[in-house]
Amino acid sequence: MGLMLIIMATACVTELEIESFDQKEQPSLVVEAILSDELKTQVVYLSRSDSRLDLETDTVYNPYLPLGINPLDSVTVESNAMVKVVATNGTTVEFAEGEKGTYLSNQPFALQMGVEYKLEISTESGIEYVSDPIKVQGTSQISNLYAERAISDTGVEGVAIFIDSEPDQGSSEYYRYTFEETYKIIAPYWVESDFVLTNYDPCALPVPTYDLEISIREVQNRVCYNTVSSNVIIQSSTLGSPVSKISRKMVRFIGRDNFIISHRYSILVKQYVQESEAFSFYETLKSFSQSDNIFSQVQPGAIYANVHRKDGIDENVLGYVEAVGASESRLFFNYDDFFPGEALPDYPFNCNLVSTPESHTSYCTSDPIGNPCPLSVIEQVNQGTISYYGPYDELLAPNSSCPGPYLFTPRVCGDCTLLGKNVEPDFWME
């Protein structure tokens, strides 16, 4: 979650002079919560601001490097806090920590219109925080979620996804949208067998010792599914409009060459009816950054959140606690629905077939010549970077400088689990 400097004054948004943030100060508490009128387990996220680089989003997968050696993103979460939501109707709901920094309501509950709520937090160090009063302003139901073949403003051909919604009750003038997209992945060079290496000693003399077998895969890794959350701020307002409903609001555009729509694609769009203060907060936030997490980049200025210390001490608190009327809808489509009979988008990695010698010179040999060939099969199997394809065929790998007995491909081309999960989601429909 990193750092996004945020300042919000009490219950309304005011223009503030941009300030610099002293990284030597105590990292700020980051509070993120979207409390809704849906009957569900509500969630609050607590963390601390951090100036560390977000390495997860800055790291590109390299199919030729062994897994596990790349740096991963880390977030300084706020654990062992006491969290509760208190309502003006006398209701109090306690939250318990699940995963570190993630607090789940002890029972499902839904916000009620006409009732004000406050989020109260007591950290492990004993500092208490409270949010400004929040309430659900209105509700609006998604009436239609649909996709059309379209051309973007920049001339890119692809698929545009639109939403229509109808106001239901209360005041529904400010909207925010998020989405989760799930797409099917099919490994293009998958075969039912793979390398199995055991008893490998690369330092044995005079040559390495090992057992290499070609065995039927024990795990289904040809078809996978990956789910990605939206990373942009999408809002809409009907304030001042003679028409109160939302019509043809585009929430996503996907270029036709994007790999994620190659086979089957699904999008779950969530619509939140906001308070005006929340709408202004996200509009201001949008002007700062459109990053993978809205609090993930250090910024030169700040806007206050709607959370403050109970004791009145002035302290930067980041994030926002929001009360929304929520509605959601899901859509599925295939590439052929919009581009029938046309070539699928390219797989995101080069999936050439390669052949190299099965073994290699002992790592502990005194031979000064060494091995002039690329990494052997057993070295790459040991690193987990390749997938078996078949016996060597010169026609399929004409550029192999040191061919061996097998053809193989980068693992990502024969094993979809590097890009997604091999279990079909519960909501999936073919």
Side-chain angles (χ1 to χ4, degrees), residues 132-148:
D132 296 332
I134 56 175
K135 62 182 179 180
V136 176
Q137 292 292 322
T139 60
S140 179
Q141 299 303 312
I142 296 175
S143 57
N144 196 14
L145 177 63
Y146 51 101
E148 297 177 359

Side-chain angles (χ1 to χ4, degrees), residues 187-191 217 221-222 387 409-416:
Y189 279 14
W190 179 91
V191 295
R217 297 179 189 263
N221 54 9
R222 176 176 178 265
S387 288
T409 188
R411 182 179 163 191
V412 70
C413 301
D415 181 352
C416 66

Side-chain angles (χ1 to χ4, degrees), residues 63-67 193-202 209-215 217 354 356-360 363 374-390 405-411 415 418:
Y64 301 102
L65 290 179
L67 293 176
S193 299
D194 202 5
F195 296 114
V196 177
L197 177 67
T198 55
N199 304 319
Y200 177 44
D201 182 358
T209 56
Y210 62 93
D211 293 311
L212 182 67
E213 299 178 72
I214 310 299
S215 299
R217 297 179 189 263
V354 182
T356 63
E358 180 176 309
S359 188
H360 57 87
Y363 287 0
L375 287 179
S376 67
V377 169
I378 57 175
E379 288 174 295
Q380 295 184 75
V381 172
N382 186 57
Q383 293 178 349
T385 60
I386 61 173
S387 288
Y388 173 79
Y389 185 77
Y406 308 110
L407 285 175
F408 55 85
T409 188
R411 182 179 163 191
D415 181 352
L418 298 188

Side-chain angles (χ1 to χ4, degrees), residues 316-369:
N316 276 339
V317 180
L318 314 181
Y320 201 82
V321 179
E322 191 172 8
V324 300
S327 176
E328 64 180 43
S329 183
R330 180 178 290 281
L331 172 71
F332 288 87
F333 64 80
N334 295 335
Y335 189 79
D336 282 348
D337 293 338
F338 299 100
F339 308 100
E342 300 186 38
L344 297 178
D346 292 336
Y347 199 66
F349 298 96
N350 189 337
C351 292
N352 288 338
L353 294 173
V354 182
S355 182
T356 63
E358 180 176 309
S359 188
H360 57 87
T361 304
S362 172
Y363 287 0
C364 298
T365 184
S366 58
D367 182 359
I369 298 177

